[in-house]
Amino acid sequence: MILFLLRRLVSGIIVIVVVTSLVFFLTYGTSIQIARNILGPSASDEQVAILNENLGLDRPLFEQYFDWITSAVHGDLGVSYFTSEPVAAALSNRLPVTFSMVIVAVLITLIASLALGITAAARGGVVDRVLQSIGTISYVFPVIIIAIGLVYLFAIVLRWVPSIGFVPITRSPGHWLASIILPSVTLAVGGIAGLAAQIRGSLVDELGLDYIRTLRSRGVSERAILGKHALRNAAGPALTVFSLQFIGIFGASLFIERIFALPGYGAYAMNATVQGDFPVLLGVTLVSVVLVVTVNLIVDVAQGWLNPKVRT
Amino acid sequence: MSQQLAPPGPDRTAAAPAKRKRRVTRALLRNPMAVGSVVTLAAMTLLCLLAPVITSHDPMYSSVEHVNAPTGTEGWWLGGDAQGRDMWSRLLASIGVSLTAALIGTGVSIVIGVVFGLIAGYVGRAIDSIASWVFNLVLALPTLLILIVLLPVTRGSYQLTMLLLGVMLSPGVYRLVRNMVIGVRRELYIDAAKVAGLSTWRILTRHVFFVVRGPIVIQAAFIATICINVQAGLAFLGVGANTPSFGSMISQAFTNLYGHPVQLLWPTLGLVALTGSLILFANAYRDALAGTTTAARRRSRRAIADVTRHADEAAPAAEKPTGKALLTVQDLSIAYPRPDGSLNEVVHKVSLTVDSGEVVGLVGESGSGKTQTAFAILGLLPHEAVVTAKEASLDGRPLLAMTPAELRKLRGPGVAYIPQEPMSNLDPSFTVGSQLVEALRRTMPRVQARQRVLELLARVGIPDPERTFDSYPHQISGGMAQRVLIAGAVATHPKVLIADEPTTALDVTVQAEILDLLRELQRELKMAVLLVTHNFGVVADLCDRVVVMRDGRDVETGEVRQIFSRPAHEYTKSLIDSILDEETLRTDAPVSKAKEGAR
Amino acid sequence: MNPLLQIDDLRLRYPGGGFRRRLPEVLKGVSLHIEAGETLGLVGESGSGKTTVGRAVLGLAQATGGTITFEGQDITHLPAGRNRGDAREIQVVFQDPYTSLTPALQVRGILSEPLIAQGIARSDAERRVSSLLDRVGLPKDSADRFAREFSGGQRQRIAIARALALEPRLIVCDEPVSALDLTTQARVLDLLIELQRNTGVAYLFITHDLAVVRHISHRVAVMYQGEIVETGPAATVTRHPQNDYTKRLLLAAPTADPDAQAERRAARQALRGRAEVPTAS
């Protein structure tokens, strides 16, 4: 088990290093006009050269990379070329917004998927068909259209929730929830469709297996068979799907932040992309890769714990 | 898009796959959903190809007079957007962009995924570990964010972005192909093809690719929708080059949502029509591969409902216990509903009795309905099965009329079951002990139940009960697992034990021990046993009486010695004759060497 | 004259098992030989290595020691099928008729494919199909159907026809009748014997079932834990075994006669009481 965890941990660290290096070399290595971009077309070549030197961009690429990675390890992600704001500080202001939304969306996804998936597997019928419809709808309608539809319905037509803006949880939990609920529900729709279908599918498969029949023959209750035995064995594949859904939810949050005008990391990253603000781009990349790797690691641990062949 | 509809495949030489493909194609043609989605896709492709002819403005041309022009304005049929551009020509251009995006992304991911999946799956070993590791890394990336971060590198070109997206989506294809190929590679027919001297290339293209191409088509359709949505999404965010796209149209309409909500309608319609037809096509294709359509499924579901209602009315009234015997079954029939709603009867009016302390063999070849009969007595048939009987009673209590709760109470102390395949009948996620304790917990506290299980494990001949108690099923051997299952069955002192081929999956030496154990336990606990088997040696070893079944009917019942020495029914005779006689040996010598010389 | 197939001190260990901890040897020095036109029955329980011997002969498993000689040619390290020269003269019939026939092809394709792979023209190969079907007792129209449309016994006939297609001199039969019903089993065994008489093909007949072995074998070899423990003429080995394991194996198989079985059971329990050998379970 420990060996298994160590392997996963090392894999995770390699992912982080490989991705950030890749992004570093692709951005810094292919764009020679960083200083020109910052100063605009009217600046003289001399001014550009001076800025290049000030930013350390005239040094060899590997040296710059080494610098970046050493400071990154110490929590220093550099400063924005355009606003001179430290990247780490800017991110820590914006991440709570994104995290609030993503975490609530993940919770909704998990609870709704379990409820829907189990009911559909046990009962079939209406729930099963509803689940299938949600699945098809979430594939057919892209998240932006679902989001716009929900905004239109709940914020503009019904006026139940504010259509845009974010309230920190520290200021008012009630308003925080109101500002976050619609974006989170939108994010969860896609997640629920995939995860609930997976839970239903694995449960139906498990329920058809021999050992279930043998448990029944000993008089074990249907509740225990479904909730304890079948669910435990179905959890593995469901967790794998969940870790993929998480990446999906995290990615889709970019759109949602835009539609609901939430000041999360998405808008920050988008600005940086348009301007070519490389330190910001690298910072955003690092944070998201670390996040995704962490979630995958947690899922791996859960997988290992669930599977006695790995655990023992 | 037509490339995706016809999966690539070197089928020139293979007549048979072509036939099968025709079967799938025919199933697709019969499915209105599939036809509708293909027609929609074709129509949209055609529209975007004809765009230069059927539009009067360039999609980027803006006219001040037509800012937010209403639908139906001359020359601007779908109206103008906030910058006075023609929505109709922008819509057609967007279709083109979406289709291109889908082709690039899907093409790249399918090619990479299939090539590496085939190689890793078929060759295996080092290549597999390395490729799987790399693809797992890619799978764990925050795809959308990386595409956005790299936009300065791709210079906003959506084609390059889709290329990258294709690479990042390839792990899904890779996993699918690799896992299927590994499954196929272990199949005996691949070994047979190797022995027959077929080249690896031929095996891959004809036998392996045959299995994987259906799922690949489905996967491709899903990837295409992802590409279309991601392209639209990025355009919606306004990052990347300024090409007409559903995304940018939606974005513009979104800012205009209060004033001109209708502007949102056209791009939404276009986008949904495109992705919707891809998804519906994928669903229809999946059904065609599985040989079912939603219509057929619905019909069969309705049929099952009808039939069960029917059976509910018929069954309980007929049951009247007459019982002298412990277990009495009279005229038991089992049927399953067909897709068209009619009933397919698999067991026809079978009767048998088991007295207390008696061992009755239920003998027959595969498909004779012996296992179905046993499961019907246990109440363990799938719920769509329709069971009727003149009488089915245990100890005078009618079995078929029982509620699920009553039946559950009966299982354990009333009837118990020993399955055929020891390994698959233990829950892999729980220790052996906890699974056995669970059933006993209904009647006794945990500590006592644990004690009882340990005693039982010792009784069934497990050398170290404590250790086996805490073992997971994968840690014990098949013979041990069967002993555990026997312990689980006798734990509650059942009156009737139903054993379904209890030794078939075991080696002969283990089989002999398990048979000894069953005999001892039967005497000790004075159980009645119904032993389902196809093995006449096992019958001779254990049974007092025999019921012979064939094609769902009981053809003969009798004392074990009488069945062996004086079988009355023709079929029983032919069965007994087919037993390979222990006395006859092969006597003819190997074919003469003379023949060898002639070759 | 040399035997058709000669196996000397065959050792085999499957690759894998991880760093510095290798998997145990599956075959620990197996030697046997088969004459032309003869059936050698290879008997053993699961895990005894009998199937691995067959796979090594076919080139589907790589020997780690010893030699396999076929018609005087060393084929120990040649892969299955291709590049084996005359070794296409070794063919196979597997146990499970449901997974040993490809779902991709009709029977015509299954039977003609090996011929086409050997360079025979498609039209000639397809003409041979009907005569092959005839030899295994299947109707001619079977050629246009898929394997899944046939019953277990018929599928096994198709598998036998495929093995015969290349006119081999040796067929490795790996439990070919174990998955079949009693009545079908007897008919397939009779077919195999008849084909042997007509064509002079030799069988390496791998099985766990002693009754089947008696029925078809000229000679019998008994395997236990990767070794041959006893070998000899079928009559001797199955009636007067010398080895303790063979004795146990014979007594363990229940016979289809209640009274004879009671005697055998008593004999087995007596033997167990005397020897108290560790059991295989």
Side-chain angles (χ1 to χ4, degrees):
Chain A
M1 182 72 178
I2 292 169
L3 203 74
F4 167 79
L5 281 183
L6 270 178
R7 269 214 309 269
R8 292 305 155 111
L9 196 64
V10 170
S11 265
I13 291 170
I14 292 176
V15 174
I16 296 171
V17 173
V18 167
V19 172
T20 47
S21 333
L22 214 68
V23 170
F24 184 95
F25 287 111
L26 281 175
T27 47
Y28 282 85
T30 57
S31 177
I32 40 160
Q33 299 198 329
I34 299 169
R36 169 66 67 192
N37 275 349
I38 299 170
L39 293 172
S42 61
S44 69
D45 287 351
E46 231 166 275
Q47 286 172 303
V48 170
I50 292 167
L51 186 61
N52 256 339
E53 205 183 313
N54 285 347
L55 294 174
L57 293 171
D58 53 345
R59 292 176 301 153
L61 201 55
F62 274 94
E63 205 180 308
Q64 297 181 44
Y65 175 65
F66 188 75
D67 265 9
W68 181 81
I69 220 164
T70 6
S71 11
V73 170
H74 294 96
D76 175 12
L77 297 173
V79 293
S80 158
Y81 286 161
F82 293 87
T83 63
S84 301
E85 191 188 6
V87 174
L91 277 174
S92 62
N93 281 334
R94 287 158 178 277
L95 281 176
V97 182
T98 308
F99 278 6
S100 307
M101 187 168 68
V102 168
I103 289 171
V104 173
V106 163
L107 286 179
I108 296 175
T109 305
L110 278 177
I111 295 168
S113 304
L114 272 174
L116 272 173
I118 292 176
T119 322
R123 298 270 160 74
V126 181
V127 185
D128 208 4
R129 260 164 281 162
V130 168
L131 184 61
Q132 280 175 17
S133 317
I134 295 180
T136 312
I137 288 173
S138 82
Y139 271 115
V140 172
F141 291 88
V143 65
I144 43 176
I145 289 177
I146 295 179
I148 293 173
L150 288 177
V151 168
Y152 193 72
L153 182 63
F154 288 104
I156 296 178
V157 178
L158 296 174
R159 294 177 185 282
W160 285 0
V161 289
S163 65
I164 53 168
F166 177 74
V167 181
I169 192 169
T170 44
R171 200 186 304 157
S172 156
H175 287 110
W176 169 78
L177 194 66
S179 70
I180 223 75
I181 191 74
L182 202 50
S184 301
V185 168
T186 317
L187 275 181
V189 171
I192 293 171
L195 189 58
Q198 174 64 48
I199 291 175
R200 175 199 168 272
S202 332
L203 274 178
V204 167
D205 288 350
E206 284 298 323
L207 288 173
L209 292 182
D210 287 351
Y211 74 87
I212 296 286
R213 186 170 51 219
T214 301
L215 286 170
R216 281 198 183 119
S217 81
R218 294 196 198 119
V220 175
S221 70
E222 283 302 310
R223 177 187 291 268
I225 284 177
L226 187 71
K228 187 174 160 190
H229 295 277
L231 195 60
R232 171 74 173 267
N233 285 297
L239 270 174
T240 307
V241 169
F242 169 73
S243 69
L244 294 179
Q245 297 288 3
F246 176 81
I247 299 176
I249 287 177
F250 186 64
S253 70
L254 287 168
F255 302 129
I256 302 300
E257 285 179 8
R258 173 60 156 269
I259 289 167
F260 291 89
L262 295 169
Y265 84 116
Y268 188 49
M270 227 77 72
N271 248 334
T273 289
V274 175
Q275 294 175 321
D277 198 345
F278 293 160
V280 174
L281 287 183
L282 276 172
V284 170
T285 309
L286 180 69
V287 168
S288 13
V289 175
V290 167
L291 178 70
V292 168
V293 163
T294 311
V295 169
N296 277 336
L297 201 65
I298 294 171
V299 167
D300 279 344
V301 172
Q303 293 272 32
W305 179 77
L306 278 173
N307 185 349
K309 282 182 198 167
V310 177
R311 184 159 23 120
T312 50
Chain B
M1 198 98 313
S2 57
Q3 282 91 327
Q4 281 170 46
L5 305 182
D11 275 340
R12 278 162 284 109
T13 52
K19 192 156 193 179
R20 183 191 134 115
K21 215 163 78 189
R22 274 203 293 281
R23 184 174 67 86
V24 172
T25 316
R26 228 178 296 132
L28 280 177
L29 284 176
R30 271 199 304 269
N31 187 340
M33 203 102 88
V35 175
S37 55
V38 172
V39 168
T40 312
L41 282 176
M44 291 181 83
T45 315
L46 200 68
L47 276 179
C48 100
L49 288 177
L50 290 178
V53 188
I54 52 178
T55 59
S56 35
H57 312 279
D58 185 86
M60 304 304 277
Y61 169 74
S62 58
S63 146
V64 189
E65 297 103 83
H66 293 94
V67 168
N68 293 332
T71 313
T73 311
E74 194 179 349
W76 269 256
W77 298 114
L78 292 185
D81 67 6
Q83 291 172 28
R85 292 175 298 197
D86 180 9
M87 301 260 285
W88 171 239
S89 69
R90 282 182 77 71
L91 196 68
L92 294 193
S94 302
I95 297 176
V97 168
S98 287
L99 289 178
T100 318
L103 277 183
I104 296 174
T106 315
V108 169
S109 66
I110 294 287
V111 167
I112 296 179
V114 169
V115 167
F116 283 94
L118 279 178
I119 295 173
Y122 194 75
V123 181
R125 322 267 315 130
I127 296 177
D128 184 22
S129 345
I130 295 170
S132 293
W133 193 79
V134 171
F135 278 101
N136 272 337
L137 293 194
V138 179
L139 193 65
L141 295 180
T143 316
L144 202 60
L145 189 91
I146 290 192
L147 291 181
I148 289 175
V149 165
L150 290 181
L151 275 170
V153 180
T154 54
R155 314 220 182 280
S157 141
Y158 82 89
Q159 290 96 334
L160 273 180
T161 304
M162 286 300 121
L163 204 97
L164 261 179
L165 179 63
V167 173
M168 296 179 77
L169 290 177
S170 62
V173 185
Y174 167 81
R175 271 193 179 186
L176 175 85
V177 174
R178 171 191 171 269
N179 290 346
M180 292 190 76
V181 170
I182 285 179
V184 173
R185 191 185 58 186
R186 297 201 185 114
E187 296 282 349
L188 289 173
Y189 65 81
I190 297 297
D191 280 341
K194 284 186 198 162
V195 171
L198 268 62
S199 65
T200 306
W201 172 247
R202 208 181 163 91
I203 292 174
L204 277 176
T205 52
R206 288 191 76 172
H207 298 266
V208 177
F209 193 72
F210 170 83
V211 178
V212 299
R213 68 177 182 198
I216 290 175
V217 173
I218 294 164
Q219 183 102 342
F222 279 92
I223 289 180
T225 64
I226 293 174
C227 293
I228 291 172
N229 285 342
V230 167
Q231 195 279 325
L234 291 177
F236 174 81
L237 294 174
V239 291
N242 189 17
T243 30
S245 157
F246 289 131
S248 53
M249 290 181 77
I250 290 172
S251 168
Q252 197 137 59
F254 180 56
T255 51
N256 244 347
L257 192 58
Y258 283 96
H260 305 276
V262 71
Q263 288 181 4
L264 190 61
L265 186 65
W266 311 123
T268 306
L269 271 181
L271 188 54
V272 167
L274 205 53
T275 53
S277 6
L278 281 167
I279 295 299
L280 293 181
F281 174 77
N283 285 348
Y285 192 86
R286 179 176 313 178
D287 286 347
L289 275 185
T292 57
T293 64
T294 19
R297 265 205 305 276
R298 214 170 298 130
R299 225 179 305 130
S300 83
R301 213 173 320 159
R302 210 175 309 130
I304 290 167
D306 286 350
V307 163
T308 0
R309 209 172 310 125
H310 201 71
D312 284 347
E313 289 156 14
E319 249 187 308
K320 265 188 224 89
T322 52
K324 293 150 280 176
L326 181 61
L327 175 72
T328 310
V329 173
Q330 210 186 338
D331 289 352
L332 176 86
S333 297
I334 303 168
Y336 288 90
R338 290 199 192 91
D340 65 2
S342 64
L343 275 182
N344 175 28
E345 202 172 86
V346 292
V347 170
H348 323 280
K349 298 197 182 232
V350 166
S351 301
L352 60 88
T353 59
V354 185
D355 281 325
S356 53
E358 186 186 36
V359 183
V360 174
L362 188 55
V363 186
E365 304 197 312
S366 54
S368 61
K370 54 188 193 303
T371 298
Q372 291 284 315
T373 305
F375 282 167
I377 296 167
L378 283 159
L380 289 177
L381 286 173
H383 64 268
E384 66 266 25
V386 181
V387 185
T388 51
K390 204 165 183 186
E391 180 184 347
S393 63
L394 177 77
D395 218 1
R397 298 175 60 200
L399 286 169
L400 295 186
M402 282 188 182
T403 64
E406 287 172 330
L407 202 56
R408 205 164 64 236
K409 245 177 263 167
L410 183 79
R411 289 178 192 148
V415 281
Y417 161 66
I418 302 175
Q420 168 172 3
E421 191 62 56
M423 284 327 241
S424 67
N425 277 287
L426 289 167
D427 184 339
S429 294
F430 290 85
T431 60
V432 162
S434 72
Q435 296 184 47
L436 297 188
V437 165
E438 193 175 357
L440 291 178
R441 287 279 289 126
R442 285 186 296 171
T443 50
M444 56 181 81
R446 182 170 297 277
V447 187
Q448 205 183 331
R450 183 188 151 87
Q451 199 48 46
R452 171 109 181 90
V453 167
L454 284 172
E455 284 165 24
L456 277 164
L457 290 177
R459 175 65 197 86
V460 296
I462 286 170
D464 187 351
E466 293 270 355
R467 213 182 79 196
T468 306
F469 187 96
D470 291 323
S471 296
Y472 284 93
H474 73 272
Q475 295 167 319
I476 60 177
S477 71
M480 282 300 148
Q482 193 59 300
R483 286 175 198 267
V484 167
L485 286 163
I486 291 174
V490 300
T492 40
H493 288 301
K495 291 185 182 121
V496 179
L497 179 65
I498 296 182
D500 180 20
E501 306 265 12
T503 58
T504 306
L506 305 173
D507 277 328
V508 251
T509 46
V510 184
Q511 164 173 287
E513 287 162 25
I514 295 291
L515 290 176
D516 284 351
L517 175 64
L518 281 175
R519 184 181 314 97
E520 286 164 25
L521 287 171
Q522 188 262 329
R523 299 226 172 109
E524 211 172 287
L525 304 171
K526 300 184 180 55
M527 287 181 296
V529 177
L530 181 65
L531 180 74
V532 178
T533 184
H534 70 282
N535 184 330
F536 278 97
V538 171
V539 171
D541 192 66
L542 273 184
C543 297
D544 303 315
R545 274 190 317 119
V546 180
V547 177
V548 182
M549 281 188 73
R550 180 202 194 180
D551 296 340
R553 289 174 216 281
D554 49 339
V555 296
E556 184 170 1
T557 304
E559 292 296 313
V560 65
R561 281 180 181 74
Q562 177 233 313
I563 290 283
F564 276 111
S565 54
R566 300 181 306 282
H569 195 276
E570 272 312 308
Y571 176 68
T572 317
K573 266 183 212 158
S574 79
L575 266 186
I576 301 284
D577 285 344
S578 305
I579 299 171
L580 297 173
D581 200 330
E582 298 226 329
E583 301 315 308
T584 46
L585 273 162
R586 183 158 180 193
T587 46
D588 62 321
V591 192
S592 70
K593 299 256 159 79
K595 208 166 185 173
E596 286 302 305
R599 275 173 67 108
Chain C
M1 187 176 167
N2 284 331
L4 182 70
L5 179 81
Q6 175 83 46
I7 299 177
D8 286 306
D9 194 33
L10 184 67
R11 290 175 179 277
L12 197 142
R13 185 195 295 278
Y14 282 111
F19 184 60
R20 256 196 264 170
R21 201 181 45 185
R22 292 193 294 171
L23 294 174
E25 261 189 335
V26 185
L27 302 181
K28 304 165 186 163
V30 170
S31 301
L32 51 84
H33 69 274
I34 300 175
E35 304 287 343
E38 168 189 63
T39 303
L40 176 71
L42 188 57
V43 194
E45 295 187 294
S46 56
S48 63
K50 58 186 193 300
T51 292
T52 306
V53 171
R55 294 182 70 83
V57 170
L58 290 164
L60 293 170
Q62 275 304 303
T64 38
T67 56
I68 306 171
T69 317
F70 182 72
E71 291 187 314
Q73 187 199 354
D74 184 354
I75 60 164
T76 319
H77 300 292
L78 293 179
R82 232 149 41 113
N83 305 328
R84 292 195 96 193
D86 281 343
R88 71 171 170 80
E89 301 204 344
I90 306 178
Q91 286 302 314
V92 65
V93 177
F94 285 113
Q95 166 174 11
D96 187 346
Y98 292 90
T99 61
S100 70
L101 299 174
T102 176
L105 301 176
Q106 290 155 303
V107 172
R108 184 188 306 286
I110 292 173
L111 297 184
S112 61
E113 200 177 35
L115 295 166
I116 296 169
Q118 294 297 331
I120 293 169
R122 170 169 295 275
S123 53
D124 290 343
E126 297 205 343
R127 219 169 299 130
R128 294 259 283 277
V129 168
S130 56
S131 91
L132 280 169
L133 286 173
D134 192 46
R135 274 161 79 186
V136 296
L138 285 173
K140 285 199 169 43
D141 62 359
S142 314
D144 297 319
R145 290 156 69 192
F146 286 94
R148 59 172 172 272
E149 299 168 45
F150 294 90
S151 70
Q154 288 168 323
R155 282 168 153 250
Q156 208 58 310
R157 282 170 194 268
I158 298 169
I160 293 170
R162 175 180 57 192
L164 287 174
L166 292 175
E167 295 174 6
R169 307 204 49 208
L170 173 66
I171 298 181
V172 175
C173 303
D174 189 356
E175 304 261 14
V177 296
S178 304
L180 304 180
D181 277 329
L182 207 51
T183 42
T184 324
Q185 189 175 12
R187 283 199 292 269
V188 170
L189 281 178
D190 287 343
L191 172 68
L192 284 170
I193 292 174
E194 184 199 319
L195 289 170
Q196 186 169 51
R197 284 190 191 133
N198 294 341
T199 64
V201 66
Y203 295 138
L204 172 58
F205 199 97
I206 298 163
T207 183
H208 70 282
D209 190 331
L210 288 153
V212 169
V213 151
R214 275 190 204 96
H215 198 80
I216 195 166
S217 307
H218 298 106
R219 286 188 305 118
V220 174
V222 182
M223 272 194 91
Y224 182 60
Q225 298 188 346
E227 287 170 274
I228 305 261
V229 294
E230 182 163 5
T231 175
T236 321
V237 175
T238 61
R239 291 210 174 125
H240 313 288
Q242 298 303 305
N243 179 275
D244 273 350
Y245 175 72
T246 315
K247 283 181 197 164
R248 270 206 294 143
L249 198 63
L250 282 168
L251 289 174
T255 177
D257 174 337
D259 300 308
Q261 172 58 17
E263 274 172 40
R264 180 172 296 183
R265 186 164 64 226
R268 175 169 51 81
Q269 282 163 353
L271 182 76
R272 188 174 62 182
R274 207 176 59 229
E276 207 52 60
V277 271
T279 57
S281 72

